[in-house]
PDB file of all heavy atoms in Angstrom:
ATOM      1  N   SER A  59      83.162 152.291  62.773  1.00  0.00           N
ATOM      2  CA  SER A  59      82.527 151.264  61.950  1.00  0.00           C
ATOM      3  C   SER A  59      83.300 149.988  61.982  1.00  0.00           C
ATOM      4  O   SER A  59      82.709 148.897  62.108  1.00  0.00           O
ATOM      5  CB  SER A  59      82.497 151.770  60.475  1.00  0.00           C
ATOM      6  OG  SER A  59      81.698 152.920  60.386  1.00  0.00           O
ATOM      7  N   LEU A  60      84.620 150.086  61.899  1.00  0.00           N
ATOM      8  CA  LEU A  60      85.434 148.828  61.906  1.00  0.00           C
ATOM      9  C   LEU A  60      85.429 148.128  63.270  1.00  0.00           C
ATOM     10  O   LEU A  60      85.449 146.889  63.353  1.00  0.00           O
ATOM     11  CB  LEU A  60      86.873 149.147  61.478  1.00  0.00           C
ATOM     12  CG  LEU A  60      87.007 149.663  60.023  1.00  0.00           C
ATOM     13  CD1 LEU A  60      88.429 149.918  59.667  1.00  0.00           C
ATOM     14  CD2 LEU A  60      86.366 148.667  59.065  1.00  0.00           C
ATOM     15  N   LEU A  61      85.336 148.918  64.360  1.00  0.00           N
ATOM     16  CA  LEU A  61      85.201 148.273  65.694  1.00  0.00           C
ATOM     17  C   LEU A  61      83.884 147.540  65.752  1.00  0.00           C
ATOM     18  O   LEU A  61      83.752 146.467  66.342  1.00  0.00           O
ATOM     19  CB  LEU A  61      85.338 149.301  66.803  1.00  0.00           C
ATOM     20  CG  LEU A  61      86.768 149.762  67.132  1.00  0.00           C
ATOM     21  CD1 LEU A  61      86.724 150.945  68.058  1.00  0.00           C
ATOM     22  CD2 LEU A  61      87.557 148.629  67.712  1.00  0.00           C
ATOM     23  N   GLY A  62      82.810 148.156  65.235  1.00  0.00           N
ATOM     24  CA  GLY A  62      81.497 147.520  65.195  1.00  0.00           C
ATOM     25  C   GLY A  62      81.518 146.211  64.392  1.00  0.00           C
ATOM     26  O   GLY A  62      80.981 145.193  64.841  1.00  0.00           O
ATOM     27  N   VAL A  63      82.158 146.261  63.234  1.00  0.00           N
ATOM     28  CA  VAL A  63      82.255 145.036  62.405  1.00  0.00           C
ATOM     29  C   VAL A  63      83.090 143.995  63.126  1.00  0.00           C
ATOM     30  O   VAL A  63      82.727 142.798  63.093  1.00  0.00           O
ATOM     31  CB  VAL A  63      82.867 145.394  61.020  1.00  0.00           C
ATOM     32  CG1 VAL A  63      83.236 144.140  60.248  1.00  0.00           C
ATOM     33  CG2 VAL A  63      81.937 146.279  60.220  1.00  0.00           C
ATOM     34  N   LEU A  64      84.224 144.415  63.744  1.00  0.00           N
ATOM     35  CA  LEU A  64      84.990 143.439  64.470  1.00  0.00           C
ATOM     36  C   LEU A  64      84.231 142.802  65.621  1.00  0.00           C
ATOM     37  O   LEU A  64      84.308 141.587  65.776  1.00  0.00           O
ATOM     38  CB  LEU A  64      86.260 144.116  65.031  1.00  0.00           C
ATOM     39  CG  LEU A  64      87.276 143.266  65.756  1.00  0.00           C
ATOM     40  CD1 LEU A  64      87.951 142.265  64.799  1.00  0.00           C
ATOM     41  CD2 LEU A  64      88.354 144.108  66.431  1.00  0.00           C
ATOM     42  N   GLY A  65      83.523 143.627  66.363  1.00  0.00           N
ATOM     43  CA  GLY A  65      82.700 143.102  67.461  1.00  0.00           C
ATOM     44  C   GLY A  65      81.616 142.145  67.021  1.00  0.00           C
ATOM     45  O   GLY A  65      81.457 141.057  67.570  1.00  0.00           O
ATOM     46  N   ALA A  66      80.914 142.482  65.923  1.00  0.00           N
ATOM     47  CA  ALA A  66      79.885 141.637  65.403  1.00  0.00           C
ATOM     48  C   ALA A  66      80.487 140.327  64.846  1.00  0.00           C
ATOM     49  O   ALA A  66      79.926 139.203  65.060  1.00  0.00           O
ATOM     50  CB  ALA A  66      79.137 142.330  64.304  1.00  0.00           C
ATOM     51  N   SER A  67      81.685 140.428  64.258  1.00  0.00           N
ATOM     52  CA  SER A  67      82.336 139.230  63.710  1.00  0.00           C
ATOM     53  C   SER A  67      82.732 138.260  64.856  1.00  0.00           C
ATOM     54  O   SER A  67      82.590 137.012  64.729  1.00  0.00           O
ATOM     55  CB  SER A  67      83.540 139.622  62.897  1.00  0.00           C
ATOM     56  OG  SER A  67      83.136 140.355  61.764  1.00  0.00           O
ATOM     57  N   PHE A  68      83.232 138.803  65.924  1.00  0.00           N
ATOM     58  CA  PHE A  68      83.651 137.943  67.013  1.00  0.00           C
ATOM     59  C   PHE A  68      82.443 137.343  67.767  1.00  0.00           C
ATOM     60  O   PHE A  68      82.448 136.199  68.175  1.00  0.00           O
ATOM     61  CB  PHE A  68      84.583 138.641  67.992  1.00  0.00           C
ATOM     62  CG  PHE A  68      86.016 138.495  67.656  1.00  0.00           C
ATOM     63  CD1 PHE A  68      86.648 139.454  66.880  1.00  0.00           C
ATOM     64  CD2 PHE A  68      86.739 137.365  68.066  1.00  0.00           C
ATOM     65  CE1 PHE A  68      87.987 139.309  66.516  1.00  0.00           C
ATOM     66  CE2 PHE A  68      88.068 137.211  67.699  1.00  0.00           C
ATOM     67  CZ  PHE A  68      88.690 138.164  66.907  1.00  0.00           C
ATOM     68  N   LEU A  69      81.365 138.100  67.862  1.00  0.00           N
ATOM     69  CA  LEU A  69      80.144 137.528  68.492  1.00  0.00           C
ATOM     70  C   LEU A  69      79.557 136.451  67.525  1.00  0.00           C
ATOM     71  O   LEU A  69      79.128 135.403  68.063  1.00  0.00           O
ATOM     72  CB  LEU A  69      79.107 138.652  68.743  1.00  0.00           C
ATOM     73  CG  LEU A  69      79.520 139.655  69.832  1.00  0.00           C
ATOM     74  CD1 LEU A  69      78.481 140.747  69.938  1.00  0.00           C
ATOM     75  CD2 LEU A  69      79.698 138.970  71.138  1.00  0.00           C
ATOM     76  N   TRP A  70      79.565 136.676  66.274  1.00  0.00           N
ATOM     77  CA  TRP A  70      79.121 135.673  65.316  1.00  0.00           C
ATOM     78  C   TRP A  70      80.008 134.445  65.364  1.00  0.00           C
ATOM     79  O   TRP A  70      79.595 133.298  65.236  1.00  0.00           O
ATOM     80  CB  TRP A  70      79.126 136.252  63.898  1.00  0.00           C
ATOM     81  CG  TRP A  70      78.550 135.362  62.848  1.00  0.00           C
ATOM     82  CD1 TRP A  70      79.256 134.397  62.115  1.00  0.00           C
ATOM     83  CD2 TRP A  70      77.221 135.238  62.433  1.00  0.00           C
ATOM     84  NE1 TRP A  70      78.398 133.766  61.265  1.00  0.00           N
ATOM     85  CE2 TRP A  70      77.148 134.258  61.461  1.00  0.00           C
ATOM     86  CE3 TRP A  70      76.054 135.892  62.825  1.00  0.00           C
ATOM     87  CZ2 TRP A  70      75.923 133.897  60.816  1.00  0.00           C
ATOM     88  CZ3 TRP A  70      74.865 135.589  62.163  1.00  0.00           C
ATOM     89  CH2 TRP A  70      74.799 134.559  61.233  1.00  0.00           C
ATOM     90  N   GLY A  71      81.323 134.695  65.621  1.00  0.00           N
ATOM     91  CA  GLY A  71      82.278 133.626  65.729  1.00  0.00           C
ATOM     92  C   GLY A  71      81.985 132.632  66.846  1.00  0.00           C
ATOM     93  O   GLY A  71      82.408 131.459  66.733  1.00  0.00           O
ATOM     94  N   ILE A  72      81.262 133.041  67.875  1.00  0.00           N
ATOM     95  CA  ILE A  72      80.915 132.089  68.959  1.00  0.00           C
ATOM     96  C   ILE A  72      80.049 130.981  68.360  1.00  0.00           C
ATOM     97  O   ILE A  72      80.295 129.787  68.625  1.00  0.00           O
ATOM     98  CB  ILE A  72      80.167 132.819  70.092  1.00  0.00           C
ATOM     99  CG1 ILE A  72      81.115 133.828  70.766  1.00  0.00           C
ATOM    100  CG2 ILE A  72      79.626 131.802  71.109  1.00  0.00           C
ATOM    101  CD1 ILE A  72      80.377 134.749  71.714  1.00  0.00           C
ATOM    102  N   GLY A  73      79.012 131.338  67.597  1.00  0.00           N
ATOM    103  CA  GLY A  73      78.165 130.346  66.957  1.00  0.00           C
ATOM    104  C   GLY A  73      78.951 129.492  65.966  1.00  0.00           C
ATOM    105  O   GLY A  73      78.741 128.296  65.814  1.00  0.00           O
TER     106      GLY A  73
END
Side-chain angles (χ1 to χ4, degrees):
S59 299
L60 296 180
L61 282 170
V63 169
L64 182 68
S67 296
F68 270 95
L69 292 177
W70 185 271
I72 296 170

